[in-house]
Amino acid sequence: MRSATSVFLNGRILPLGEAKVSVLDRGFIFGDGVYELVPVYSRVPFRLDEHLVRLERSLAAVAMRNPYTAAQWRRHILALIEAQPHADQGLYLQVTRGVAPRDHAFPQSVEPTVFMMSNPLVNPPPAQVEHGAAAISAQDHRWLRCDIKSTSLIGNVMLRQLSAEAGAVETILFRGTRLTEASASNVFIVRRGVIASPPKDSLILPGITYDVVVELARANGMPLELREVSEKEVRAADEIWVTSSSKEVLAIVTLDGAQVGDGRPGPHFRRMYQLYQEFKRKVMRAGKTEAVSAA
Ligand SMILES: Cc1ncc(COP(=O)(O)O)c(C=O)c1O
């Protein structure tokens, strides 16, 4: 039966109101957990294998046991998707180290807590895709393991709040004079027809959408460089894009109030946006995740 508020907790699908976790859960006390957000189109989870690989990597980085095999994750995820009334969803999952008396050091032999919920997918509205969005910038004051998709998100939350208060969709981050990413997305720039984005290192989250954009650019002959990008280059860019599972690819047309390029989403953005939508449609038709090929 499909109910709007079915969630998954430790192996069971149950109504949201009945899902309860102890206040001693280390996710609540320490933010001691990792997570994923998987976009679901027409009930097909997009790039699920890649999300599960990144989850495995985050768990290993914080020395947590993966409670499920990939096949078990897939089964639980598909069951939760099926339990929702909406076809397009944003499936959130988190694994915490579990419930134990408060002590920073890892507890011995506790069961991880696994929670999943799947809400209606919220993509940028068509007018924002068409006209682009505003961003501001800030210094990246987060820790040095931004490659781990940790639930300890206070740094990202504080940085995102800056742009929320400025009426902007994102906060683009510089560590010193080097571009890292944004508070909840990766960043690409285009200058003289060449797309550039920072390489995947410990200062950015290895985005699943970032990978799709890189694969689409390469498969379609769009020049692309993964290398250090300076703040100066960002401010002089013809185009700036942010990418994430929910934003997909979104053009930034003002940065700190200054126009980016001619102040409209550029031709490279339009091409990439179209390639991304075509790829999504192909995946939905196939009913499963598949590799990028040239359009
Ligand atoms: C800090 C940060 N960078 C990048 C991303 C984009 O990752 P993905 O494309 O896997 O959604 C996210 C997504 O939530 C994020 O929080």
Side-chain angles (χ1 to χ4, degrees):
M1 205 191 61
R2 285 175 184 173
S3 132
T5 52
S6 295
V7 300
F8 174 100
L9 184 62
N10 298 329
R12 287 177 56 217
I13 290 183
L14 70 177
L16 177 62
E18 288 174 27
K20 300 276 193 285
V21 179
S22 165
V23 291
L24 288 182
D25 193 280
R26 289 176 63 98
F28 182 61
I29 298 281
F30 292 119
D32 187 2
V34 300
Y35 77 106
E36 282 295 322
L37 189 119
V38 186
V40 176
Y41 302 107
S42 302
R43 300 193 187 278
V44 180
F46 185 69
R47 293 244 145 166
L48 180 55
D49 291 349
E50 289 81 354
H51 280 279
L52 292 178
V53 167
R54 185 172 66 183
L55 174 67
E56 177 75 49
R57 192 182 165 280
S58 295
L59 287 166
V62 299
M64 268 168 58
R65 183 170 67 77
N66 192 338
Y68 300 131
T69 62
Q72 287 170 322
W73 274 114
R74 184 173 280 279
R75 216 172 36 249
H76 290 315
I77 286 169
L78 293 178
L80 186 63
I81 290 171
E82 201 43 47
Q84 310 306 320
H86 27 271
D88 292 346
Q89 305 170 24
L91 185 138
Y92 174 90
L93 68 89
Q94 74 167 41
V95 184
T96 76
R97 205 177 299 275
V99 179
R102 187 181 183 280
D103 179 6
H104 286 58
F106 298 166
Q108 294 301 309
S109 55
V110 288
E111 283 301 307
T113 302
V114 183
F115 172 65
M116 297 199 272
M117 61 183 165
S118 201
N119 297 314
L121 187 65
V122 182
N123 290 137
Q128 202 169 59
V129 173
E130 184 60 29
H131 301 295
I136 63 161
S137 69
Q139 267 299 311
D140 193 345
H141 55 47
R142 301 171 302 160
W143 69 333
L144 298 174
R145 291 304 309 273
C146 297
D147 57 319
I148 301 171
K149 202 161 169 62
S150 162
T151 58
S152 308
L153 283 172
I154 192 72
N156 302 64
V157 165
M158 289 175 69
L159 290 163
R160 171 65 188 111
Q161 184 59 18
L162 296 176
S163 48
E165 285 171 9
V169 298
E170 254 299 13
T171 309
I172 290 179
L173 305 175
F174 300 110
R175 207 176 270 270
T177 56
R178 173 178 168 188
L179 171 68
T180 53
E181 56 180 343
S183 68
S185 33
N186 291 109
V187 178
F188 290 77
I189 65 164
V190 183
R191 179 85 173 138
R192 298 198 186 95
V194 180
I195 306 166
S197 189
K200 290 195 274 185
D201 60 16
S202 58
L203 298 182
I204 70 168
L205 186 81
I208 304 296
T209 320
Y210 168 109
D211 282 343
V212 175
V213 166
V214 167
E215 288 169 37
L216 286 170
R218 287 185 173 150
N220 292 280
M222 298 172 81
L224 173 120
E225 296 172 353
L226 299 180
R227 56 164 176 81
E228 239 179 67
V229 176
S230 71
E231 176 174 355
K232 212 164 134 197
E233 287 180 280
V234 175
R235 298 204 186 274
D238 301 321
E239 300 185 22
I240 301 176
W241 314 338
V242 289
T243 68
S244 78
S245 293
S246 54
K247 291 186 204 73
E248 301 185 337
V249 190
L250 181 66
I252 297 301
V253 292
T254 67
L255 178 61
D256 296 326
Q259 198 169 288
V260 177
D262 67 0
R264 290 177 304 178
H268 301 89
F269 164 78
R270 291 194 188 286
R271 173 121 199 263
M272 181 53 71
Y273 181 80
Q274 194 193 351
L275 289 170
Y276 196 88
Q277 298 307 315
E278 279 165 12
F279 179 61
K280 250 171 56 180
R281 279 194 289 274
K282 206 170 83 180
V283 169
M284 281 185 274
R285 273 199 306 274
K288 62 179 175 55
T289 303
E290 54 181 66
V292 163
S293 60

